[in-house]
């Protein structure tokens, strides 16, 4: 099979993205093992024993899908944004701009790069979760709807890669980037229902949470793994799909108008 | 893509402003197929700004550029494969080795399985033994050569070299210029900027001189030199010559020699006839042609 020349720039950049995070393989794999183990140990096992959910699920089971999606989103965002920021310093952005890579090709290549890393880390998180689950319940956690799970992971990974690309192109300094991380992403993820269920919340907070798009991302994954969630899966699908489309057009606009010159 | 016979580069009334500041002011010129064109000018003249517009790093404020008949703004998919670009600033890709960088760069230019060309360039540019190093482990001159290798992986038809020899030692500079000449003989059209005017003089078929964003003059290198400089003629006499020499071109007179400066158009024969000196008394005549540097200084001085 030969690949038409016009797709080669895109595939090359995607390949380069993968090679880039493979160079920091230990960081890619070890960091999520440590962080997800900590979450599972502290929240899932030690606090989780004292929490009862109305749905009858164990808190540990409830927590695992949220942690998986959190890994995917964080890693997609980080991978894509750090690629752009280091490209700004190194001059890679200029190379991309002056080569036949189109803004659309750049966006998709970076997004698939982020998604791939998100998948790897998400899978590792899931396996760590499984070990904790096996240890506590004596059985593996079965995946209820693999198809939905895959769709939500893809939507989440792509959306957050595109978000990462946008923020990185817009940022003028590393501080901008980390400010977005700690003032936007972290709160959205934490308040998006990774650690708690809507059902226990005061109606005011329920309404507020429902305005957070990440609630739908996370509940979509929860439905994919556990078969139950706070939000109907159709709603999750529509909102997350809509969010992806919005992220895509914002990112594309930024790439079309941004400066590619060095810092 | 067949581009034979088409002008590799045509710039019409190009204007580039940064805010209120005009860096390039209605510059127009055209390159001929296969030629080496030197874009010269002092620091800040606007050379890099012009090149940046050609490679879409900057957007022209107004005016028009064409690369083999295609506007880089309208048909970047054509102009980008046709053009190779060596930026003035050094790059510093952190993660990859020199060879990996060239492999990726080939892919960006739609070329896969490009090992042969990459290895050729690595060897030709003296980077072969450094191919597994990272960029930060290279010296400045090696980085410069890596930039040149990158610009050539896809065998462009037009090569834009923005100060390709800045920071390169004398010996390597000579070999780089040889390489440029070789590329030109193979049919590549080359636009270069440099502050080494002597090298530009021997290399460039034509040059354009920029100053404060204005293209002051453009033309074949030899013609410009002839038009804008004078020739120095030293006449050495056999023994002491006491004869009175009256010539409007006389600059300096010593016992056994005289120095004349003649504009182009005045022949050396005319000069000798004019001074009415006994031809048998003339031992030797040395003619110094004007240089591009003199022409350059002359052009810049005219517009002070
Ligand atoms: N991004 C920019 N923003 C504002 N001004 C700029 C920018 N780039 C260049 N300039 C200004 O435009 C003018 C032309 O710069 P340019 O880099 O094109 O000059 P140059 O001829 O390449 O000079 P050099 O020989 O030093 O490389 C300079 O006065 C410079 O300060
Ligand atoms: Mg310059």
């Amino acid at each position: 099979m030969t690949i038409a020349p016009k797709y080669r720039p895109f595939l090359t950049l995607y390949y380069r993205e993968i090679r880039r995070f493979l160079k920091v393989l230990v960081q890619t794999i070890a960091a999520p093992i440590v962080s997800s183990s900590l979450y599972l140990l502290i929240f899932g096992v030690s606090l989780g024993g004292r929490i009862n959910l109305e749905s009858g699920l164990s808190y540990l089971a409830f927590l695992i899908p949220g942690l998986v999606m959190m890994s995917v989103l964080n890693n997609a965002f980080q991978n894509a944004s750090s690629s752009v920021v280091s490209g700004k310093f190194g001059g890679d952005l200029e190379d991309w701009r002056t080569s036949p890579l189109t803004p659309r090709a750049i966006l998709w290549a970076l997004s698939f790069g982020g998604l791939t890393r998100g998948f790897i880390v998400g899978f590792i998180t899931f396996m760590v979760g499984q070990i904790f689950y096996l240890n506590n319940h004596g059985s593996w956690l079965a995946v209820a709807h693999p198809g939905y799970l895959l769709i939500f992971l893809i939507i989440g990974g792509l959306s957050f890669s595109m978000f990462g690309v946008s923020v990185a192109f817009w940022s003028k300094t590393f501080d901008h980037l980390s400010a977005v991380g700690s003032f936007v992403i972290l709160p959205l993820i934490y308040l998006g229902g990774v650690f708690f269920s809507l059902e226990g919340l005061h109606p005011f907070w329920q309404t507020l949470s429902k305005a957070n798009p990440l609630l739908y991302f996370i509940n979509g994954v929860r439905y994919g793994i556990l078969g139950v969630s706070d939000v109907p899966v159709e709603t999750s699908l529509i909102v997350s799909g809509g969010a992806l489309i919005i992220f895509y057009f914002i990112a594309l606009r930024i790439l079309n108008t941004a400066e590619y010159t060095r810092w | 893509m067949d581009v034979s016979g088409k002008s590799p580069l045509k710039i019409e009334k190009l204007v580039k402003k940064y805010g209120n500041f005009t860096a390039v002011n209605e510059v127009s010129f055209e390159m001929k197929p296969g030629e080496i064109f030197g874009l010269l000018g002092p620091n800040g003249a606007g050379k890099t700004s012009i090149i940046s517009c050609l490679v879409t790093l900057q957007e022209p404020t107004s005016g028009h550029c064409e690369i083999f008949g295609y506007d880089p703004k309208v048909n970047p998919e054509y102009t980008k494969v046709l053009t190779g670009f060596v930026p003035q600033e050094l790059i510093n890709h952190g993660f990859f080795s020199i060879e990996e960088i060239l492999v990726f760069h080939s892919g960006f230019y739609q070329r896969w399985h490009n090992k042969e060309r990459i290895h050729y360039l690595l060897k030709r540019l003296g980077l072969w033994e450094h191919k597994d190093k990272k960029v930060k482990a290279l010296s400045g001159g090696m980085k410069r050569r890596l930039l040149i290798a990158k610009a050539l992986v896809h065998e462009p038809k037009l090569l834009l070299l923005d100060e390709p020899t800045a920071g390169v030692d004398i010996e390597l500079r000579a070999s780089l210029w040889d390489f440029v000449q070789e590329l030109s003989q193979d049919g590549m059209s080359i636009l270069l900027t440099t502050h080494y005017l002597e090298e530009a003089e021997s290399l460039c078929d034509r040059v354009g001189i920029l100053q404060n964003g204005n293209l002051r003059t453009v033309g074949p290198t030899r013609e410009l030199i002839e038009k804008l400089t004078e020739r120095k003629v030293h006449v050495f006499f056999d023994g002491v010559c006491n004869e009175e020499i009256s010539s409007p071109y006389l600059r300096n007179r010593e016992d056994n020699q005289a120095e004349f400066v003649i504009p182009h158009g005045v022949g050396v024969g005319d000069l000798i006839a004019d001074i009415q000196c006994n031809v048998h008394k003339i031992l030797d005549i040395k003619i110094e042609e004007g240089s591009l540097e003199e022409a350059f200084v002359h052009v810049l001085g005219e517009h002070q």
Side-chain angles (χ1 to χ4, degrees):
Chain A
M1 193 182 73
T2 52
I3 297 202
K6 70 172 191 173
Y7 298 114
R8 290 179 188 170
F10 155 72
L11 287 168
T12 305
L13 184 55
Y14 174 50
Y15 174 67
R16 177 191 175 279
E17 285 302 292
I18 293 176
R19 291 293 306 275
R20 203 177 68 86
F21 73 68
L22 290 183
K23 298 238 167 186
V24 283
L25 191 63
V26 175
Q27 189 185 319
T28 311
I29 292 173
I33 292 181
V34 173
S35 65
S36 54
S37 298
L38 281 174
Y39 279 125
L40 289 161
L41 196 67
I42 295 166
F43 294 110
V45 179
S46 92
L47 292 174
R50 279 172 254 163
I51 299 172
N52 292 309
L53 296 168
E54 286 173 28
S55 51
L57 285 168
S58 78
Y59 185 67
L60 188 59
F62 177 86
L63 190 58
I64 290 171
L67 286 181
V68 169
M69 190 53 151
M70 191 164 97
S71 296
V72 172
L73 300 179
N74 268 332
N75 277 276
F77 182 87
Q78 260 180 35
N79 197 71
S81 62
S82 69
S83 187
V84 170
V85 169
S86 62
K88 273 189 179 178
F89 278 112
D92 302 82
L93 251 52
E94 280 189 18
D95 277 0
W96 299 352
R97 179 59 164 189
T98 54
S99 79
L101 274 166
T102 60
R104 207 145 47 106
I106 294 172
L107 179 56
W108 281 110
L110 295 179
S111 302
F112 278 114
L115 177 65
T116 307
R117 171 143 170 196
F119 263 2
I120 293 172
V121 178
F123 180 75
I124 293 169
T125 307
F126 185 62
M127 292 320 290
V128 173
Q130 284 283 25
I131 292 166
F132 274 84
Y133 192 87
L134 182 67
N135 198 28
N136 276 262
H137 300 280
S139 66
W140 297 105
L141 178 63
V143 175
H145 304 289
Y148 274 120
L149 175 60
L150 193 64
I151 289 174
F152 281 105
L153 292 180
I154 291 174
I155 291 178
L158 288 178
S159 299
F160 264 55
S161 299
M162 289 169 180
F163 186 32
V165 171
S166 308
V167 173
F169 260 97
W170 161 83
S171 311
K172 294 276 175 282
T173 64
F174 271 117
D175 290 342
H176 284 161
L177 198 60
S178 62
V180 171
S182 41
F183 292 115
V184 180
I185 296 181
L186 204 65
L188 284 181
I189 288 184
Y190 277 54
L191 300 175
V194 173
F195 298 104
F196 58 85
S197 165
L198 276 191
E199 59 191 20
L201 289 182
H202 182 274
F204 171 77
W205 292 110
Q206 283 201 17
T207 316
L208 198 71
S209 294
K210 282 185 176 162
N212 178 0
L214 292 201
L215 180 81
Y216 304 90
F217 283 37
I218 290 162
N219 274 286
V221 171
R222 191 164 285 139
Y223 181 82
I225 295 179
L226 304 177
V228 292
S229 70
D230 289 346
V231 193
V233 68
E234 294 79 12
T235 313
S236 293
L237 201 54
I238 291 167
V239 175
S240 333
L244 173 60
I245 292 169
I246 293 169
F247 278 125
Y248 174 73
F249 282 106
I250 291 176
L252 194 59
R253 200 188 142 68
I254 288 179
L255 278 166
N256 273 322
T257 53
E259 291 242 356
Y260 288 70
T261 46
R262 240 164 295 183
W263 275 343
Chain B
M1 214 176 306
D2 184 33
V3 293
S4 50
K6 285 193 198 163
S7 168
L9 177 66
K10 201 180 199 171
I11 292 178
E12 268 166 31
K13 297 208 158 162
L14 181 69
V15 176
K16 175 66 202 173
K17 292 186 181 180
Y18 301 104
N20 286 328
F21 175 74
T22 306
V24 178
N25 187 18
E26 302 215 352
V27 167
S28 306
F29 67 90
E30 191 175 341
M31 275 176 69
K32 302 194 170 108
E35 80 173 342
I36 303 181
F37 185 94
L39 194 55
L40 311 175
N43 288 142
K47 305 178 292 292
T48 301
S49 299
I50 292 178
I51 294 178
S52 298
C53 291
L54 301 176
V55 296
T56 74
L57 278 175
Q58 293 288 353
E59 194 158 333
T61 307
S62 67
H64 188 74
C65 309
E66 267 181 24
I67 291 171
F68 293 107
Y70 300 108
D71 185 335
K73 262 168 68 183
V74 182
N75 292 110
E77 70 278 23
Y78 297 137
T79 63
K80 287 176 176 181
V81 265
L82 288 167
T83 311
F85 166 51
V86 175
Q88 179 174 6
E89 303 283 331
L90 296 174
I91 35 95
N92 194 10
H93 316 274
F95 296 95
F96 301 108
S97 73
I98 306 310
E99 191 174 6
E100 282 175 311
I101 288 170
L102 293 172
V103 169
F104 293 140
H105 211 70
S106 302
F108 294 160
Y109 282 87
Q110 309 180 344
R111 297 217 173 190
W112 284 359
H113 313 296
N114 203 23
K115 274 254 158 17
E116 211 174 304
R117 173 100 185 139
I118 290 171
H119 287 181
Y120 164 75
L121 288 171
L122 284 171
K123 286 175 186 156
R124 190 68 182 74
L125 288 161
L127 291 169
W128 182 249
E129 55 274 35
H130 308 293
K131 69 182 165 62
D132 298 320
K133 290 186 185 163
K134 302 236 167 95
V135 174
K136 66 167 181 271
L138 298 184
S139 77
M142 293 173 195
K143 285 183 193 163
R144 186 73 58 191
R145 283 179 274 148
L146 170 62
L147 290 183
I148 297 173
K150 279 169 65 190
L152 292 170
V153 286
H154 61 294
E155 299 173 80
K157 301 270 193 281
L158 170 66
L159 183 61
L160 305 172
L161 300 166
D162 199 354
E163 295 194 34
T165 54
V168 175
D169 67 47
I170 303 183
E171 201 180 322
L172 267 167
R173 230 158 59 213
S175 87
L176 272 181
W177 291 134
D178 282 346
F179 188 35
V180 167
Q181 218 137 26
E182 188 185 309
L183 293 168
S184 155
Q185 271 149 20
D186 294 342
M188 201 178 281
S189 307
I190 296 162
L191 178 131
L192 60 90
T193 78
T194 179
H195 292 290
Y196 297 105
L197 295 178
E198 222 171 281
E199 294 169 2
E201 180 177 336
S202 66
L203 201 66
C204 299
D205 301 306
R206 294 196 308 141
V207 296
I209 297 177
L210 270 177
Q211 184 184 27
N212 300 332
N214 297 290
L215 188 64
R216 299 298 190 200
T217 182
V218 59
T221 315
R222 286 256 58 91
E223 266 177 38
L224 280 188
I225 294 172
E226 286 189 7
K227 198 171 77 188
L228 299 170
T229 65
E230 293 164 321
R231 312 164 87 182
K232 278 200 192 105
V233 180
H234 293 266
V235 180
F236 298 88
F237 302 105
D238 189 6
V240 177
C241 175
N242 294 320
E243 277 170 70
E244 198 61 34
I245 296 177
S246 72
S247 161
Y249 306 127
L250 182 68
R251 275 295 152 82
N252 199 5
R253 174 83 170 87
E254 278 165 37
D255 285 348
N256 59 347
Q257 60 167 296
E259 186 188 319
F260 304 88
V261 174
I262 56 173
H264 284 274
V266 174
V268 178
D270 300 337
L271 176 74
I272 301 300
D274 202 41
I275 60 177
Q276 294 179 340
C277 172
N278 184 352
V279 179
H280 299 292
K281 287 205 128 181
I282 294 177
L283 190 65
D284 198 5
I285 297 177
K286 203 174 103 199
I287 302 169
E288 252 179 74
E289 298 290 343
S291 67
L292 181 58
E293 190 168 332
E294 282 164 18
F296 185 82
V297 170
H298 179 88
V299 169
L300 297 192
E302 265 184 349
H303 295 273
Q304 282 300 318

